Amino acid sequence: MISNLATAIWNKFNGDSGAGGLNASGGLSLFSFQQAPQVSTSPYGVFYLDGFDTDEQMGNADNKIEMGEIRIQIFSSALDGGVIIADLMNRVMTLYDWSTLTISSYTALKMSREAIAPLIYEDQIWQATLMYSAWFIKT
């Protein structure tokens, strides 16, 4: 389940190369799972799977609803007062808010944004964090 969801999130990013997309010109140079390479070209993103939960109220152990907590962090070293990081946050929200993920062996139910953390500017790096939940059921 973990690798299925991680692959679905990465594939969604990888397929977003159209004009204005997160993977398009002016978007992220890199989008990594769990950890970016030590030397990464700005701007880049990292996504984490922070936990999973199940809901068997509408089913049983064979067809329970799964929920994954996802954290997406974006980093930019641009000296622009946060303009680029704000644009990239909008691109993340356009791509993932209420999107339908293609998750191998599962049917996606929803992907919803749960929170946006305050922007951070530390050590001349802008950092934005968006939290999501993805709901899916085994097929």
Side-chain angles (χ1 to χ4, degrees), residues 19-97:
L22 192 57
N23 189 21
S25 176
L28 297 177
S29 64
L30 174 74
F31 193 54
S32 299
F33 176 50
Q34 296 296 112
Q35 182 176 349
Q38 191 148 7
V39 178
S40 298
T41 304
S42 175
Y44 64 94
V46 180
F47 71 97
Y48 307 86
L49 301 181
D50 287 339
F52 287 86
D53 197 3
T54 59
D55 185 353
E56 295 182 15
Q57 293 178 19
M58 302 285 292
N60 57 39
D62 296 325
N63 64 353
K64 62 186 177 269
I65 295 174
E66 304 275 355
M67 188 274 292
E69 296 174 355
I70 302 152
R71 177 172 32 112
I72 298 174
Q73 291 186 293
I74 306 166
F75 302 90
S76 173
S77 60
L79 300 174
D80 63 353
V83 172
I84 289 175
I85 200 92
D87 174 60
L88 292 169
M89 289 174 68
N90 283 328
R91 291 183 190 208
V92 167
M93 291 184 285
T94 298
L95 181 61
Y96 289 110
D97 283 16

Side-chain angles (χ1 to χ4, degrees), residues 3-17 23 31 47 95-96 100-104:
S3 63
N4 301 45
L5 180 57
T7 299
I9 292 166
W10 194 86
N11 285 344
K12 184 83 170 168
F13 164 80
N14 198 43
D16 189 43
S17 57
N23 189 21
F31 193 54
F47 71 97
L95 181 61
Y96 289 110
T100 302
L101 296 175
T102 302
I103 306 172
S104 176

Side-chain angles (χ1 to χ4, degrees), residues 76-79 121-126:
S76 173
S77 60
L79 300 174
Y121 185 68
E122 188 173 297
D123 296 330
Q124 299 181 337
I125 302 288
W126 286 100

Side-chain angles (χ1 to χ4, degrees), residues 93 96-98 111-116 130-133:
M93 291 184 285
Y96 289 110
D97 283 16
W98 295 101
M111 180 148 172
S112 59
R113 181 171 22 97
E114 301 298 329
I116 300 173
L130 298 98
M131 281 78 73
Y132 284 86
S133 63

